Amino acid sequence: MRLNQLTYGFVGLGLMGGSLAKAITKYVLAEENSTGKIYAMDKNPSSLEDAILEKTIERGFSENETKEMLSLCDVVFVCLYPKATGEFLAKYQDDFKSGAIVTDIAGVKGQLMENLNWKRSDVTFVPGHPMAGNEREGFTHASAEIFQKRNYIFMEPVVSGASSLEFGKNALETLKQLATSIGFGRIIETNAEIHDHKIAFTSQLCHVIASALVDSAEDTNVTAFGGGSFEDLTRIAMINAPLWTELFIADKKELVNHISEFQASLETIKAAIENEDSEKLNGYLSNVRSRRIAMANPK
Amino acid sequence: MRLNQLTYGFVGLGLMGGSLAKAITKYVLAEENSTGKIYAMDKNPSSLEDAILEKTIERGFSENETKEMLSLCDVVFVCLYPKATGEFLAKYQDDFKSGAIVTDIAGVKGQLMENLNWKRSDVTFVPGHPMAGNEREGFTHASAEIFQKRNYIFMEPVVSGASSLEFGKNALETLKQLATSIGFGRIIETNAEIHDHKIAFTSQLCHVIASALVDSAEDTNVTAFGGGSFEDLTRIAMINAPLWTELFIADKKELVNHISEFQASLETIKAAIENEDSEKLNGYLSNVRSRRIAMANPK
């Protein structure tokens, strides 16, 4: 079936779920001859009302109607916090429609995969991580445009039984097509272990550093003396505290290692400054410049 | 005299000098009835040629012609590296035109002011710091637009003799008008000590952190797993190594203190993650969020 003929279900219609739903509405279901539709459930009834009024979703479902919604959906996006994602998949595993594709957006995958006890051979779970977002929260701030040129990471499809391998591959292909359709620029396929290792650096460590930098400011008036650097480094410190508390702890081992490596790099440059070692400092900064320029165009 | 009737001289026509010259050409000298002009000297003759061809400056001067240029200019921008700025002011102090206003752009002021032995009572030196720039270098990348809504910091005017105080005040007023004319959004008046303390945090510490973060990356392919946070935190790590080596060492005392405070904040959040202390982590991040939101609108 084509992407514009599928029924999509969103479990959680916050910033990420809402943005994905809006992007699918705009870039997939607005096509001519489209017969697809979007359903959604959210603990906040007003998000569902808003989404219906602006024609992002066709119908909202209450928590009591979860099974009904799942029985109707070809593709289900579970857009909850990491722990809640695992709980949802455990509770409703038997209720997905036969043939359905289920995916999630949790920012840490190791814990989720360890506890996932997937028994369905007719439903594929494809762990996913759309690398986008902003410092705001909730459906009100959702936007169809936040995925443009971003990275979407998929883990290997999970489906029970060796005979279902081809089925799992097809599910992944469908999600990759969908991701490209809504603007993602790059699809990365990896496993949970590599994902959690890499994300601990590019995402979690950055949030830790930005937060520590804001914490260390002597007052909140510092930006009067700024040239934009401080603002750029700390924009992500307008952080969703409960979500990131979960993410940091879920990826604790990898994250703590990355923090330690960063601390060592910081100590090296600090020592060069303290010793007024111009030569060493100049070498360190020249090397950093070359590395950062290389990073602007990843392979 | 009005701003569009003055002769401006640039000592150094790199990214900053070039951008200031372009902005004055565009926003001040393009006015009707303008009789003002811009002269410049630079060690790179092709920068001067480019600037003449695109009508940013009227004439370029070689190093041998420094005194001639200075004798003609009402306002002189010394746009050199910090050490070279001090050396230039020492060498040519006697050669500025009587009545001239001299300013600089050095990112650290304490050392400069300590070594400045200003004897002119008919020429005012106003230490300045336009808080703008980008990760590129040289006149080729200069732009009239990089100052829009930025901060321009001025230190107290320096002029010899008590009777010249009013004269110094007028010089500062002229530069403030000029800064506003070319797009700066906010003028801050302070002294060298406060400047160096604040800038060590908002600018130098941010560059140190961005550099250490790039240094600690295990490879240069990390951005393939990024969602934009790493890129935002490390854009300034495409650093001009010789310039920042000078700046870090010139502001060593303040900078090292700020690094230590940042290290303490980082250690606090790291410990909370290691101990899986959700309550403490959530409190830390909530506080950071509130502080960062307050910082978005400095008093």
Side-chain angles (χ1 to χ4, degrees), chain A residues 9 24 61 63 79 84 109 117 136 151 186 202 258 265 269 272:
Chain A
I24 293 172
F61 291 74
E63 205 179 334
C79 300
K109 297 301 187 194
N117 185 9
R136 304 193 148 185
N151 298 324
R186 187 178 175 130
T202 56
H258 284 306
S265 291
I269 186 170

Side-chain angles (χ1 to χ4, degrees), chain A residues 89-90 93 111-118 125 127 158:
Chain A
L89 292 175
Q93 185 180 151
Q111 272 191 1
L112 185 70
M113 302 308 284
E114 269 169 40
N115 298 320
L116 185 77
N117 185 9
W118 197 258
F125 174 57
V158 182

Side-chain angles (χ1 to χ4, degrees), chain A residues 150 188 226-227 234 263 292, chain B residues 150-151 224 227 234 263 270 292:
Chain A
R150 293 306 184 118
I188 295 122
T234 59
Q263 286 176 315
R292 182 56 181 82
Chain B
R150 294 306 185 119
N151 298 322
T234 59
Q263 286 175 316
K270 185 189 185 189
R292 182 57 182 82

